[in-house]
Amino acid sequence: MNRVLAIEFSRVTEAAALSAFSWIGRGNKHAADDVAVKAMRLVLNQIAINGEIIIGEGEIDEAPMLYIGERVGLLYSKEADITIAVDPIDGTRMTAMGQADAISVLAAGGKNSFLKAPDMYMEKLVVGGVEKGIIDLNLPLSENIKRIAKKKNKVFSQLTIAILAKPRHQQVIEEMQQLGLRVMMIPDGDVAAAVQCCLPNSEIDIMYGIGGAPEGVVAAAAVRALGGDMQARLILRDKVKGDTPENVELAQQEANRCKQMNVPVNRVLKLEELVRDDNIIFSATGITSGSLLKGVKRSGDLATTETLLIRGRSQTVRKIETMHYLSKKDPQLVSLM
């Protein structure tokens, strides 16, 4: 994955972020996601690659989402050379509500770089490079916290953990607060928090929670490229959302898809199973401003974006501020903005 291709992929997340900008604070997360998906697909299909969406927002019958197995790029042959994990908007509700830290994200690698999994729930635990090799998702979270505190030479009150603010995490949140940790409760979108665990001088030490598998694989690419550590576990819907008839039926569909894709459910996956090599590119562009990236700024025909671009093989981390003169862009793309 060379530098030229890295810049091309940064254009993809920039396009998605620019398109989502018009829907910030308008209360319609589906409309925001729709234009971001269309923009991402449009730019991906302008790049000279032979690519395949390996993990995305749904299955083929859920198009126009960027579905698992969708082929993208100007080049095409029987077998894709590049696999891509995407989340056009990590934090659709945050975008709709005008909240911080909504981003557009993408990870790209070789044909065998990423875990292949359905769009389902995933439990995740992320730490930085200092704690690499000491976490174990098979153990209680409190035991992992003890290990992390010892390795970082910190007391619990000096640790910050980011957790999705969902009812399913309420018990965990209370447990962490009782231990004395500072808990950063994020409304949606856990990729930004996972990335921050691995950046120097970050205020976040740990990210934990049950969220989406696509976001998990994308986050794992950044974590590996930055030298951090992560473990994850795929969980069926009825175990997360309750065993209603609808959830049980959907869980059975997820189990069937996992079997077809030869991916285990309820087994801890190490970082090396989520992302199998370092030849990867991670790109994230801010939609709304937050602790990781500045959001889109627009005045008439001029828009500005900030993108975090990481190359795994060289462990190169760039923050790119780009000025976009929209009148010079593809009219089809501008129509989505």
Side-chain angles (χ1 to χ4, degrees), residues 115-314:
L115 173 79
K116 294 183 179 181
D119 183 3
M120 59 188 293
Y121 282 105
M122 176 183 276
E123 183 182 16
K124 313 159 197 177
L125 177 61
V126 180
V127 292
V130 173
E131 307 89 84
K132 188 173 179 64
I134 68 167
I135 58 172
D136 186 351
L137 204 49
N138 286 308
L139 297 174
L141 182 57
S142 58
E143 180 60 35
N144 281 285
I145 298 301
K146 292 176 185 176
R147 292 182 173 195
I148 293 164
K150 183 178 180 180
K151 187 68 174 181
K152 294 176 77 78
N153 195 28
K154 289 184 175 183
V155 296
F156 288 171
S157 62
Q158 294 174 312
L159 294 176
T160 299
I161 184 169
I163 303 178
L164 285 172
K166 303 291 184 183
R168 59 181 175 268
H169 294 142
Q170 189 56 43
Q171 186 175 343
V172 174
I173 289 169
E174 291 174 1
E175 180 186 6
M176 294 299 102
Q177 290 172 333
Q178 288 169 6
L179 285 175
L181 277 74
R182 180 183 294 111
V183 180
M184 182 181 293
M185 287 172 274
I186 49 181
D188 284 294
D190 52 12
V191 176
V195 172
Q196 287 178 82
C197 288
C198 306
L199 293 174
N201 303 318
S202 171
E203 294 183 357
I204 301 177
D205 299 287
I206 310 146
M207 195 286 290
Y208 172 81
I210 299 171
E215 294 90 341
V217 175
V218 173
V223 171
R224 175 151 185 165
L226 291 168
D229 203 4
M230 175 176 177
Q231 290 192 357
R233 175 165 37 207
L234 292 169
I235 304 178
L236 298 177
R237 185 179 182 88
D238 61 331
K239 303 301 181 185
V240 178
K241 302 288 284 186
D243 57 353
T244 65
E246 181 184 9
N247 287 337
V248 170
E249 182 181 353
L250 289 170
Q252 187 57 56
Q253 293 174 15
E254 291 172 347
N256 292 338
R257 288 291 289 128
C258 286
K259 187 175 181 180
Q260 291 170 9
M261 301 170 81
N262 196 30
V263 60
V265 177
N266 296 325
R267 179 172 74 76
V268 172
L269 300 165
K270 295 184 178 181
L271 180 60
E272 293 74 20
E273 296 175 275
L274 298 168
V275 181
R276 299 186 182 98
D277 59 64
D278 295 321
N279 190 22
I280 50 177
I281 292 169
F282 172 89
S283 179
T285 302
I287 299 171
T288 59
S289 292
S291 51
L292 181 64
L293 290 163
K294 297 175 185 175
V296 177
K297 304 295 182 186
R298 182 170 175 179
S299 178
D301 186 47
L302 178 64
T304 304
T305 57
E306 185 174 65
T307 298
L308 179 69
L309 186 62
I310 306 170
R311 289 179 61 215
R313 183 153 287 179
S314 61

Side-chain angles (χ1 to χ4, degrees), residues 72-91:
V72 293
L74 289 172
L75 309 178
Y76 184 89
S77 64
K78 189 174 181 180
E79 189 172 357
D81 299 318
I82 292 175
T83 54
I84 303 167
V86 298
D87 193 358
I89 301 181
D90 183 41

